[in-house]
Amino acid sequence: MQPIRFIRPTARFIALAWLLLALLLSGMSSAWAQDDDNILPVTEAYKLKADASTPGVLKLHWDIAPDYYLYRGRMKFTGADGVTAGEARLPDGAKHHDEYLGDVEIYHHEVEASVPYTVAPGTQRLKIAVRYQGCHEVEPKICYPPHTEQLDLALPAGTAQADTAAPQTLGSALAQLGGTSASTPGTDAAALPAEQAFRFEALARAPNQLLLRWTMPKGYYLYRDQTSLHLNAAGLKLGQPQWPQGTVKQDPHFGNVTVYFDQVELPVAIEGDTSKLKQVAIEASFQGCQDGGLCYPLMSRAVSVDLAGGAVATGEAVAGPAPEARPAATLDVSLWAALLLALGGGLVLNLMPCVLPVLSIKAVGLIESGESPAHRRRHALAYTAGVLVSFVVLGLVILSLKAAWGAQLQKPLVVATLSLVMLAVALSMSGVVQFGASLGNTGSGLASRAGLVGDFFTGVLAVVVASPCTAPFMGSALAYALAAPTAQAMLVFVMLGLGLALPFLAVGYVPALARLLPRPGAWMDTLKQVLAFPMYLAAAWLAWVLANQRGADAVGLLLVASVMLAMALWWFERARYRSTGARILTVLPLLLALAPLYYLAHLPAPVAAAAAEGTVAFTPARLAELRKAGTPVFVDMTADWCITCKANEHAVLATDAFRDLLKRTGAVYMKGDWTNEDPDITAFLQQYHTPGVPLYVVFPKNGGEGRKLPTVLTSSLVDEALTEAAK
């Protein structure tokens, strides 16, 4: 009788299995996009016809299927390849209250639009991108993501072409440079409204000395020679502005011009007697562009300046209240104080819940080092190196890009990748796969090198997951870093890293502390497996953040990637002592794990949910309305990935005491969700020189300046601030 043979999986069988999984993945996106046979494809629900027979005007017609509708406000028309689209003419739509978008206008059955356009000389085709969005209004109720159709049509005879003669004014030249009509900023979907792209403020450094400041987001610039200033005060005039050195930019019509990126501060003196005046009004007119994009027409802002210090914007162009004005060089704390605060903030980060799962890895590493002082020091130094290098890189990114603390978690792909890293580490700690050396051969040179590399990247991971947390003392230190010179700012980030690594440095170099570590033994395998569960919880928390960013589809893709990753690690461990061909097969499930990430990166953000009961969604315009009406406002800038934000909500903002306080003071609770990127919230954070969320600002009913609260709230602190604001 032949013995029974257990057939091992062959390469052919495994390859077939991966092929089936790939086919499953390829059909997954379409299955999710259309989970009901009654839902039409978007181009069938909204049949678009284009008529370019009239020179200079593109006529569009949508036939809308029954039980479907189109949003009027979600239509965009963008020209390409020498085509400039003007403002579309659309009929009024039916009034409709949308659960998420509020009061909107919609179209049923059919709708026509006329889009004026001009073309550059030599343009052969009319190419325009038409973007629109609509919904199915009966069961199953769904809304399509924004859909874009690329039109490529023949130009009719007699089409007017843009005049290429040199314009007589810089405004018209700027319009040609930006490729968009200077009279209609905002038609470029990537361009910010003028009030957000160019923020203007002023303050008095002395009774006869003003400091004017323009702040632009990355990629926007201000023209020096198109700026004019006027002082509305009898008997007074402005002296010669002291412009700093700017950037020389080549203008195709006017040669070399001087522009300013990011931020420019302009000292200017008041000539005349100001001793009897408390305030003066100054008007500024200026122009600027989005680099490589839209150029704006002449903008004017009026500012009333308190000669004792401070400024309030009064022009219509300003969408919200001006921030508390102070010179960028004025720092709230000294360098030594900032360094001490940074050291304390980094030290407290070790206790934050987002960091604790990673520290469990380091704790196991220190225990594994046994009683050897040399091993302990090597572990501690490698971990510290990973922390410090990561903080230096993070600091350079924040300072150079003017990013915010924790902003990388606004990227769904980063969140998903971190979740997979947490899962891989947890599977390793659970014994599914072993990375590097085992306990039995830690003395060999190769194993030592592998261990140090692992310690280094544990430090890197600790910094990455620490960024959503804002420990006490960190807010002032980071605010100092954003306002200080680069060298001093980098010292602050280094001290933050030193604080985070300090406990493990102490264990490595202080014998008395090292003796507190238990002796290594067989019990350590059990401990390592137990400590894997905080890592699993960290992966689950990141999946929850991803769900809030991109919805259930994103979580489904992450789960598929997680299964593929777990399979790859499982096969990697089984093939450790097999042939090279068997080990190479590990690459296949890893590649399959990347496919869902590709789809995930291209998922659109879901339509913003309605604000929770008792809160108002933040917009600059809504804040300005409430302040104009004399209503005290509590502004809460938060994010789902911000652990400190969630802790404050649980302890203070989601309590009955806070709700009663709002009723007693008549205050409005306004909430800004920064889980995804939001230019309005980013600009608000920059106004208050805040490195990231959380940010809490209380605006009083009398229209005074907002009061910025600490990042860690208490009920008594909020009660005192709102009570004062209601007076």
Side-chain angles (χ1 to χ4, degrees), residues 7 20 66 92-93 239 270 272 307 314 399 401 424 438 454 481 484 486 488 500 569 575 578 606 615 622 657 681 702:
I7 301 175
L20 292 174
D92 294 336
I270 300 177
L307 294 181
T314 59
L399 295 177
L401 300 181
S438 64
T486 302
Q488 296 181 16
L500 181 60
L569 296 177
R578 298 189 181 188
T615 66
R622 181 62 175 147
I681 296 178
N702 60 13

Side-chain angles (χ1 to χ4, degrees), residues 341-418:
L341 289 171
L343 182 67
L347 190 61
V348 175
L349 273 179
N350 287 280
L351 304 177
M352 304 301 282
C354 47
V355 185
L356 285 175
V358 179
L359 296 188
S360 64
I361 308 172
K362 189 59 198 159
V364 171
L366 284 177
I367 295 173
E368 287 180 346
S369 65
E371 297 180 336
S372 168
H375 282 174
R376 286 195 300 270
R377 287 193 293 270
R378 283 199 295 268
H379 273 287
L381 285 176
Y383 172 77
T384 302
V387 170
L388 293 181
V389 168
S390 301
F391 263 106
V392 168
V393 172
L394 185 61
L396 290 173
V397 170
I398 289 176
L399 295 177
S400 62
L401 300 181
K402 297 190 179 298
W405 180 258
Q408 74 274 9
L409 289 183
Q410 290 180 332
K411 308 293 185 183
L413 189 58
V414 173
V415 174
T417 302
L418 273 177

Side-chain angles (χ1 to χ4, degrees), residues 146-456:
H147 177 71
T148 301
E149 292 195 35
Q150 303 289 343
L151 302 182
D152 187 351
L153 308 170
L155 283 170
T159 299
Q161 295 186 330
D163 185 9
T164 58
Q168 300 303 311
T169 65
L170 181 59
S172 55
L174 294 180
Q176 291 189 13
L177 290 177
T180 305
S181 171
S183 63
T184 57
T187 56
D188 184 346
L192 294 173
E195 62 272 9
Q196 296 178 23
F198 301 92
R199 295 188 177 274
F200 174 70
E201 54 188 319
L203 69 155
R205 298 196 297 186
N208 62 344
Q209 185 68 41
L210 301 180
L211 182 70
L212 312 183
R213 181 187 301 128
W214 288 264
T215 303
M216 291 79 69
K218 182 176 177 61
Y220 290 77
Y221 60 85
L222 178 78
Y223 280 86
R224 182 191 66 185
D225 297 335
Q226 288 302 115
T227 302
S228 62
L229 305 171
H230 177 69
L231 187 67
N232 293 326
L236 301 177
K237 66 177 183 178
L238 294 175
Q240 187 68 24
Q242 303 299 310
W243 286 100
Q245 183 177 359
T247 300
V248 177
K249 190 174 181 65
Q250 177 64 35
D251 187 299
H253 300 281
F254 297 95
N256 292 332
V257 294
T258 300
V259 300
Y260 297 96
F261 289 86
D262 300 327
Q263 187 178 82
V264 57
E265 293 185 340
L266 178 63
V268 58
I270 300 177
E271 297 179 353
D273 184 10
T274 61
S275 60
K276 298 181 180 180
L277 296 178
K278 294 183 179 181
Q279 289 186 337
V280 293
I282 184 171
E283 293 182 2
S285 297
F286 49 89
Q287 283 185 306
C289 292
Q290 180 187 24
D291 199 11
L294 177 145
C295 283
Y296 294 75
L298 189 69
M299 295 167 273
S300 295
R301 307 283 171 84
V303 173
S304 179
V305 184
D306 184 352
L307 294 181
V312 178
T314 59
E316 291 183 359
V318 178
E324 183 178 347
R326 58 187 177 98
T330 301
L331 302 174
D332 294 334
V333 296
S334 66
L335 173 61
W336 291 108
L339 294 179
L340 287 175
L341 289 171
L343 182 67
L347 190 61
V348 175
L349 273 179
N350 287 280
L351 304 177
M352 304 301 282
C354 47
V355 185
L356 285 175
V358 179
L359 296 188
S360 64
I361 308 172
K362 189 59 198 159
V364 171
L366 284 177
I367 295 173
E368 287 180 346
S369 65
E371 297 180 336
S372 168
H375 282 174
R376 286 195 300 270
R377 287 193 293 270
R378 283 199 295 268
H379 273 287
L381 285 176
Y383 172 77
T384 302
V387 170
L388 293 181
V389 168
S390 301
F391 263 106
V392 168
V393 172
L394 185 61
L396 290 173
V397 170
I398 289 176
L399 295 177
S400 62
L401 300 181
K402 297 190 179 298
W405 180 258
Q408 74 274 9
L409 289 183
Q410 290 180 332
K411 308 293 185 183
L413 189 58
V414 173
V415 174
T417 302
L418 273 177
S419 181
L420 293 176
V421 169
M422 294 291 189
L423 176 63
V425 173
L427 290 173
S428 174
M429 298 177 74
S430 295
V432 174
V433 63
Q434 296 295 325
F435 298 122
S438 64
L439 293 177
N441 59 3
T442 51
S444 67
L446 178 61
S448 296
R449 287 196 296 272
L452 294 180
V453 171
D455 288 330
F456 180 89

Side-chain angles (χ1 to χ4, degrees), residues 362-622:
K362 189 59 198 159
V364 171
L366 284 177
I367 295 173
E368 287 180 346
S369 65
E371 297 180 336
S372 168
H375 282 174
R376 286 195 300 270
R377 287 193 293 270
R378 283 199 295 268
H379 273 287
L381 285 176
Y383 172 77
T384 302
V387 170
L388 293 181
V389 168
S390 301
F391 263 106
V392 168
V393 172
L394 185 61
L396 290 173
V397 170
I398 289 176
L399 295 177
S400 62
L401 300 181
K402 297 190 179 298
W405 180 258
Q408 74 274 9
L409 289 183
Q410 290 180 332
K411 308 293 185 183
L413 189 58
V414 173
V415 174
T417 302
L418 273 177
S419 181
L420 293 176
V421 169
M422 294 291 189
L423 176 63
V425 173
L427 290 173
S428 174
M429 298 177 74
S430 295
V432 174
V433 63
Q434 296 295 325
F435 298 122
S438 64
L439 293 177
N441 59 3
T442 51
S444 67
L446 178 61
S448 296
R449 287 196 296 272
L452 294 180
V453 171
D455 288 330
F456 180 89
F457 282 103
T458 301
V460 173
L461 186 60
V463 174
V464 173
V465 300
S467 57
C469 296
T470 304
F473 325 124
M474 277 184 62
S476 298
L478 289 172
Y480 178 95
L482 293 178
T486 302
Q488 296 181 16
M490 293 311 301
L491 282 177
V492 170
F493 283 99
V494 169
M495 289 301 286
L496 281 167
L498 188 60
L500 181 60
L502 192 58
F504 295 105
L505 272 178
V507 171
Y509 280 86
V510 179
L513 293 176
R515 283 194 291 269
L516 297 177
L517 294 175
R519 294 178 179 272
W523 60 271
M524 288 171 47
D525 284 336
T526 301
L527 175 63
K528 186 183 296 186
Q529 293 170 10
V530 170
L531 291 177
F533 290 99
M535 304 299 294
Y536 288 121
L537 288 175
W541 165 65
L542 289 166
W544 173 78
V545 171
L546 187 64
N548 289 330
Q549 290 177 325
R550 290 296 185 270
D553 285 356
V555 176
L557 289 168
L558 177 61
L559 291 175
V560 173
S562 300
V563 172
M564 293 298 101
L565 176 63
M567 187 178 296
L569 296 177
W570 168 76
W571 182 253
F572 171 79
E573 186 64 25
R574 287 181 61 85
R576 183 184 296 274
Y577 304 108
R578 298 189 181 188
S579 65
T580 303
R583 292 196 296 272
I584 290 177
L585 288 177
T586 306
V587 176
L588 294 176
L590 282 177
L591 292 176
L592 288 175
L594 294 178
L597 296 182
Y598 171 81
Y599 288 111
L600 188 151
H602 291 80
L603 283 177
V607 179
E613 184 179 358
T615 66
V616 173
F618 170 82
T619 64
R622 181 62 175 147

Side-chain angles (χ1 to χ4, degrees), residues 326 403-405 475 478-479 482 637 674 682 684-697 708-709 711:
R326 58 187 177 98
W405 180 258
L478 289 172
L482 293 178
M637 295 301 181
W674 208 46
T682 301
F684 191 87
L685 296 175
Q686 292 173 349
Q687 286 178 357
Y688 285 90
H689 309 287
T690 297
V693 291
L695 170 64
Y696 307 103
V697 182
K708 180 179 172 183
L709 302 184
T711 55

Side-chain angles (χ1 to χ4, degrees), residues 652-667:
V652 179
L653 303 179
T655 62
D656 291 336
F658 179 69
R659 287 186 282 270
D660 292 340
L661 176 62
L662 292 175
K663 293 178 182 178
R664 175 164 56 85
T665 58

